[in-house]
Amino acid sequence: MKSNRSKILIGSVLVLIIIAGAWYFINQNQSQTTNSVQQNIETGPETGLMAPDFTLENLSGKEVSLSDFRGQKVFLNFWASWCPPCKQEMPDIQKLHKENKDIKVLTVNVQESKDTAFDYMISNNYSFTTLLDTNGNIGSRYLVRGIPTTVIIDEDGIILNRQSGALTYERMLELLSE
């Protein structure tokens, strides 16, 4: 009788050790994967690296590629018409577009219809180039997790800077000169 209890006790302890080991192994791998994914989400396409090229339609239906602007500094901004911080910075983006002819202002409307983006641009008299990322693929490639997000790209297509949140005109100029 005593021998059966010992066997059961030893068997139970071994099962607990196996379960604890499996739990540790699974959680260790999940933690490493989560940390790796989190690091990529936070950084996005890194400064100092080539900006991912893309081709999107503008509001006139013409295809426009980022690489079309090689040789020019690009102010690339991701936005949506329902976003209050996006609306807040739009007049300053228009000012940047009008007063800095050496900088190409490209905005990417994320996951809205062409009609929605067009109506917003027309009703506010904005004249900078707006591209349509209706399915969100380009926003995903740039790891945009919040809008507005701005990416500054140099003449060679290298990412110089990246910032989330609404920018003032002065901050836009700072980012472009860094």
Side-chain angles (χ1 to χ4, degrees), residues 145-162:
R145 298 296 180 246
I147 54 175
T149 292
T150 299
V151 179
I152 307 299
I153 303 167
D154 77 4
E155 297 83 355
D156 297 318
I158 304 298
I159 296 173
L160 297 177
N161 219 317
R162 176 188 173 96

Side-chain angles (χ1 to χ4, degrees), residues 50-56 63-74 76 104 106 108 131 138 141-142 153-158:
M50 184 69 67
D53 194 20
F54 59 83
T55 301
L56 292 170
E63 287 192 344
V64 176
S65 297
L66 177 62
S67 57
D68 294 342
F69 304 101
R70 196 66 44 88
Q72 292 179 273
K73 192 174 272 191
V74 176
L76 178 64
K104 181 60 184 176
L106 287 180
V108 178
L131 307 175
I138 304 308
R141 282 183 62 198
Y142 275 79
I153 303 167
D154 77 4
E155 297 83 355
D156 297 318
I158 304 298

Side-chain angles (χ1 to χ4, degrees), residues 24-87:
Y24 176 80
F25 177 76
I26 290 169
N27 283 323
Q28 192 68 12
N29 283 342
Q30 277 183 329
S31 175
Q32 288 172 354
T33 301
T34 302
N35 289 342
S36 175
V37 169
Q38 188 63 33
Q39 183 177 8
N40 288 337
I41 287 172
E42 290 172 359
T43 59
E46 294 182 32
T47 58
L49 297 179
M50 184 69 67
D53 194 20
F54 59 83
T55 301
L56 292 170
E57 282 189 11
N58 66 14
L59 293 175
S60 301
K62 179 184 173 198
E63 287 192 344
V64 176
S65 297
L66 177 62
S67 57
D68 294 342
F69 304 101
R70 196 66 44 88
Q72 292 179 273
K73 192 174 272 191
V74 176
F75 177 91
L76 178 64
N77 179 270
F78 294 87
W79 68 281
S81 66
W82 52 262
C83 162
C86 299
K87 292 178 182 182

